[in-house]
């Protein structure tokens, strides 16, 4: 059995994206609203939501997110307020989707999605090597493999 944790680079990437989107949102609001008191209230609300997500929710989510693999199945453990455990047998996987981003080895934004009869299992924020290891376990041919 092997266990995986999410890539720490993904947490930093998500924090950066949240901060950038918040700044853009505040700038857009500032263009259309000229009342300083309203801008102050909106700015405080944005900063409060950012602090909650960047320093409370996301670290808790990343701490509780893990994946366990065995010879026959993979199990996802996740949740902040309510813990959930999802398992999929490798033999029941109908097809697999792998989502990567440019520079994914630095951002940690690698996702593997297993489609099984009646649902799907999403493995989020994997290290690039971990994603390749999991794909190899399912028997799915990788890019460049020939049958």
């Amino acid at each position: 059995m092997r266990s995986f944790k999410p890539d720490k680079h993904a947490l930093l990437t998500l924090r950066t994206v949240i901060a950038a989107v918040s700044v853009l949102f505040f700038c857009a609001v500032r263009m259309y609203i000229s009342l300083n008191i309203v801008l102050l209230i909106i700015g405080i609300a944005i900063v409060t939501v950012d602090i909650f997500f960047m320093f409370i929710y996301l670290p808790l989510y990343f701490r509780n997110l893990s994946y366990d693999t065995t010879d026959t199945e993979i199990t996802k453990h996740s949740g902040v307020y309510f813990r959930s455990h999802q398992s999929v047998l490798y033999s029941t996987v109908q097809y697999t989707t792998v989502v990567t981003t440019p520079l994914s080895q630095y951002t940690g934004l690698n996702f593997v999605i297993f489609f099984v009869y009646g649902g799907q299992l999403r493995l989020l924020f994997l290290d690039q090597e971990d994603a390749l290891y999991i794909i190899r376990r399912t028997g799915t041919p990788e890019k460049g493999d020939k049958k």
Side-chain angles (χ1 to χ4, degrees), residues 114-141:
F114 293 130
F115 292 91
V116 295
Y117 181 72
Q120 56 183 299
L121 177 66
R122 295 177 183 170
L123 309 177
L124 308 173
F125 310 117
L126 290 167
D127 185 55
Q128 203 168 32
E129 287 121 21
D130 295 344
L132 291 175
Y133 175 82
I134 291 170
I135 291 298
R136 277 190 230 112
R137 299 288 295 186
T138 63
T140 305

Side-chain angles (χ1 to χ4, degrees), residues 74 88-97 113-117 121 138 140:
I74 185 161
V88 166
L89 293 172
Y90 292 131
S91 60
T92 62
V93 174
Q94 293 177 333
Y95 64 95
T96 304
T97 300
I113 304 169
F114 293 130
F115 292 91
V116 295
Y117 181 72
L121 177 66
T138 63
T140 305

